[in-house]
Amino acid sequence: MNNLTEANLKALAGPRSYERGLGYLDAVAGVEVGDSRVTAIVHGTERYTVELVLEGPGGVDGRGGLSGECDCPYGLEGNFCKHLVALGLTVLAEPEGSLPRQRKAARDRGQDLAAWLSGLSKEELLALVREQVGEDRQLRRRLELRAASARGDLAGVRARIRELLDIGPFARYGYVEYADARAYADQAGQAVSAIRALTGSGRPADAITLAREAMRLLTEAVESVDDSDGGLGQVGADLAEVHLDACRTARPDPEELARWLVGHVLGDFDDLTGVDPLDYEDALGERGMTLLRRLAAEAWRGKRTGWAEKHLMERLAKAGGDVDAVIAVHAADLAENGHTHLVIARELDTAGRTDEALSWAERGMRDMRDLAAVDTALVDYLCDRYGRAARLSDAVALRRDHFGARRTLFSYRQLRAAAQAAECWPAEREGALDLLRADTGRRQGGWYNGSVLVDALLDDKDIEACWQAAAETGAHDRQWLALADLARETRPADALGVYLRLAEPLTKQTGNHVYEQLVSLLLGARDCHRRLGTPDEFTAYATALRTVQRRKRNLMRLMEQRGL
């Protein structure tokens, strides 16, 4: 079955990447067909290595396991990119039957090579390996690591790992640029493999020592590497996994391990490796976990506002089911906007301590120095609690206070919803509108920097009051347009004036977006003339506009389509 088809390429890449891939057909070079893979170089913004996998696991999606990898930024995110499309189309452009023949030839070559190697003597194989070691630095380093590990040479393994983590060979002016970062990450990955091999060969204690050293070296190196693709982040995560496996196998002194874990997590290495002390619970045992908790608590008490200290304490407290300890961590560093009070309230809710949760949320509101800066999620939480407890008047009072501090359309809507539920909206509305009227001339915080008063009256669909407010206090053109759309049934003459005023400057501009706006205004104006019983006036206006604007062909076409 041939899985490499245009349909499968388009399905994997999507229409956009597929179309873009068509423009890279001349950029494909060095195509090499293997038994199940095709590799090549595609010259784009950079020189990218591309590999199509013709047969992979699965294939239930109808594409028979067709997949690919590319080291371009988009491809490194796991996407089937335009470079893979270009390679696939290049292979498909070969004469019919060419791909199966090339795959069979590659398979035959592989079998011939295996048979030839099997027939070599030990001396001949050694000579071949020596030749390759002399030509391939990466192979030489991997074999040196294996040799040092096999003979128990910890110093030798350590030296090789230091070489693998050295940025020197990849750095230009002391920094590893993006183009070289992947090669460095691949080399650093060899160090991780070497440390993992130590555990597999029965030397987990050495693996622990070298993993910790490698974490330190990698953390120092990453400061000088453009790791935009996250390659070193993956190496760091792999290194943490290797260290954990070694600890589970070697069972080091639990107290020493606890001290190292706390120092590591609270130090400068955790951002790269992501070590989680709770993963080490088996290796630590009861004695180690007891010390870990004590050391974490001591560190937190010494720096209650430190993010790492707080996070570690919170993780340990949650794992131990100690809700009070979790609350104590948050309570020691309360945010001024009430967010921390909300976090505590939610923790207490989860623990079933709802009365305490409500008390903390209400305390958050009482502690607020500036209600305008409050975390709106705290206000929402309290109003929801009040609503479920049938404390509707309390919800209204809180929404009223919040609106008084914020005075936005959103807070007006929230006050309206609460007051309607409590059946007291008319009185609350008058008070809210009085505040907004007092604001006119002093601040503008509505849509498009227009009046919030106009926004609120628009939202209430109070056409008469809104028109009066807009005329007296001013409004943004977008607000005038919204008002005209709302009012043209009851105030067609006024709405017509708005449409014509807004249309005038657009007649002096060009662009399809402008034409769309202009035609929309003309449709509104036509509807107003119809309601006023003056359709002939609109016809004359539209005819005159067509005469003046006749060179704007897209506008003429759009007006024709809309019956103007």
Side-chain angles (χ1 to χ4, degrees), residues 417-495:
Q420 286 175 338
E423 300 182 348
C424 61
W425 175 230
E428 289 295 334
R429 180 175 185 262
E430 284 307 308
L433 293 177
D434 285 343
L435 284 177
L436 294 178
R437 290 188 186 101
D439 279 346
T440 58
R442 289 196 294 113
R443 73 180 197 177
Q444 301 289 306
W447 290 345
Y448 320 108
N449 289 322
S451 165
V452 180
L453 175 62
V454 172
D455 285 340
L457 292 170
L458 271 171
D459 209 57
D460 285 339
K461 294 181 172 54
D462 189 341
I463 297 173
E464 297 305 315
C466 188
W467 204 281
Q468 181 180 352
E472 292 177 353
T473 67
H476 189 278
D477 283 347
R478 298 282 184 95
Q479 292 176 314
W480 275 116
L481 177 58
L483 181 53
D485 289 342
L486 188 65
R488 69 189 187 199
E489 181 177 351
T490 57
R491 303 181 65 149
D494 292 329

Side-chain angles (χ1 to χ4, degrees), residues 18 23 31 45 64 79 85 91 101 126 134 164-165 194 210 225 238 290 331 384 405 469 491 528-529 555:
Y18 182 84
V31 178
T45 307
N79 300 298
V85 171
V91 175
R101 287 195 300 272
L126 284 174
L164 291 172
L165 296 177
L210 293 180
V225 180
D238 293 343
T290 299
D384 178 66
R491 303 181 65 149
C528 290
H529 274 294
L555 174 59

Side-chain angles (χ1 to χ4, degrees), residues 343-361:
V343 171
I344 292 173
R346 286 172 172 166
E347 291 287 350
L348 289 166
D349 274 334
T350 302
R353 295 158 61 174
T354 55
D355 289 343
E356 292 176 73
L358 180 59
S359 177
W360 264 101

Side-chain angles (χ1 to χ4, degrees), residues 275-430:
V275 167
D276 185 351
L278 291 175
D279 290 339
Y280 290 78
E281 190 168 2
D282 291 343
L284 287 166
E286 185 176 349
R287 184 160 61 99
M289 286 299 296
T290 299
L291 178 60
L292 181 72
R293 292 190 178 93
R294 180 169 66 79
L295 292 174
E298 290 175 357
W300 170 69
R301 283 192 290 270
K303 191 177 180 182
R304 292 177 186 265
T305 60
W307 184 90
E309 287 77 7
K310 287 169 56 180
H311 182 67
L312 178 58
M313 268 296 292
E314 183 183 359
R315 291 275 293 124
L316 293 172
K318 283 187 175 181
D322 191 345
V323 178
D324 291 321
V326 174
I327 293 170
V329 171
H330 292 299
D333 186 25
L334 294 172
E336 292 184 358
N337 68 348
H339 174 74
T340 319
H341 296 79
L342 177 60
V343 171
I344 292 173
R346 286 172 172 166
E347 291 287 350
L348 289 166
D349 274 334
T350 302
R353 295 158 61 174
T354 55
D355 289 343
E356 292 176 73
L358 180 59
S359 177
W360 264 101
E362 291 178 327
R363 174 182 164 183
M365 295 303 302
R366 290 194 304 271
D367 289 350
M368 285 299 302
R369 297 179 181 178
D370 180 9
L371 194 56
V374 68
D375 185 343
T376 55
L378 177 60
V379 179
D380 294 341
Y381 172 89
L382 276 170
C383 288
D384 178 66
R385 287 292 304 269
Y386 289 153
R388 286 188 279 123
R391 295 172 56 182
L392 301 182
S393 61
D394 289 334
V396 171
L398 181 54
R399 291 297 189 191
R400 181 194 307 129
D401 291 342
H402 190 222
F403 171 75
R406 298 291 290 270
R407 304 190 199 180
T408 64
L409 176 60
F410 183 66
S411 58
Y412 180 84
R413 287 171 171 168
Q414 291 177 314
L415 172 59
R416 181 176 62 198
Q420 286 175 338
E423 300 182 348
C424 61
W425 175 230
E428 289 295 334
R429 180 175 185 262
E430 284 307 308

Side-chain angles (χ1 to χ4, degrees), residues 105-355:
R107 187 161 51 250
D108 292 344
R109 290 195 301 272
Q111 293 172 351
D112 291 344
L113 177 59
W116 177 68
L117 289 172
S118 298
L120 294 178
S121 66
K122 177 181 178 180
E123 290 73 18
E124 289 171 325
L125 283 172
L126 284 174
L128 181 61
V129 171
R130 291 190 187 100
E131 179 183 345
Q132 293 302 310
V133 165
E135 297 176 354
D136 189 333
R137 184 180 67 175
Q138 298 297 338
L139 175 61
R140 174 178 58 80
R141 286 183 167 180
R142 287 197 295 271
L143 294 180
E144 286 174 345
L145 266 173
R146 291 194 181 187
S149 177
R151 65 175 180 269
D153 181 5
L154 183 61
V157 175
R158 176 181 284 115
R160 298 291 82 76
I161 288 176
R162 284 180 172 275
E163 287 182 10
L164 291 172
L165 296 177
D166 179 17
I167 67 168
F170 301 89
R172 301 175 185 178
Y173 311 107
Y175 186 79
V176 181
E177 297 179 346
Y178 174 81
D180 301 310
R182 185 178 185 185
Y184 174 72
D186 290 343
Q187 180 170 297
Q190 295 175 26
V192 179
S193 299
I195 297 171
R196 181 182 285 112
L198 288 172
T199 298
S201 62
R203 298 169 59 193
D206 289 343
I208 293 173
T209 299
L210 293 180
R212 294 180 184 179
E213 290 184 15
M215 288 180 189
R216 177 178 57 80
L217 293 171
L218 193 63
T219 301
E220 293 172 357
V222 77
E223 297 297 324
S224 302
V225 180
D226 181 353
D227 191 37
S228 300
D229 292 328
L232 288 189
Q234 184 59 53
V235 173
D238 293 343
L239 197 52
E241 181 182 344
V242 167
H243 181 265
L244 175 61
D245 289 343
C247 288
R248 286 172 172 168
T249 303
R251 298 287 175 172
D253 176 75
E255 294 191 352
E256 185 278 332
L257 178 57
R259 290 190 177 89
W260 181 85
L261 285 169
V262 172
H264 179 88
V265 171
L266 300 184
D268 299 326
F269 309 132
D270 194 46
D271 286 345
L272 182 64
T273 59
V275 167
D276 185 351
L278 291 175
D279 290 339
Y280 290 78
E281 190 168 2
D282 291 343
L284 287 166
E286 185 176 349
R287 184 160 61 99
M289 286 299 296
T290 299
L291 178 60
L292 181 72
R293 292 190 178 93
R294 180 169 66 79
L295 292 174
E298 290 175 357
W300 170 69
R301 283 192 290 270
K303 191 177 180 182
R304 292 177 186 265
T305 60
W307 184 90
E309 287 77 7
K310 287 169 56 180
H311 182 67
L312 178 58
M313 268 296 292
E314 183 183 359
R315 291 275 293 124
L316 293 172
K318 283 187 175 181
D322 191 345
V323 178
D324 291 321
V326 174
I327 293 170
V329 171
H330 292 299
D333 186 25
L334 294 172
E336 292 184 358
N337 68 348
H339 174 74
T340 319
H341 296 79
L342 177 60
V343 171
I344 292 173
R346 286 172 172 166
E347 291 287 350
L348 289 166
D349 274 334
T350 302
R353 295 158 61 174
T354 55
D355 289 343

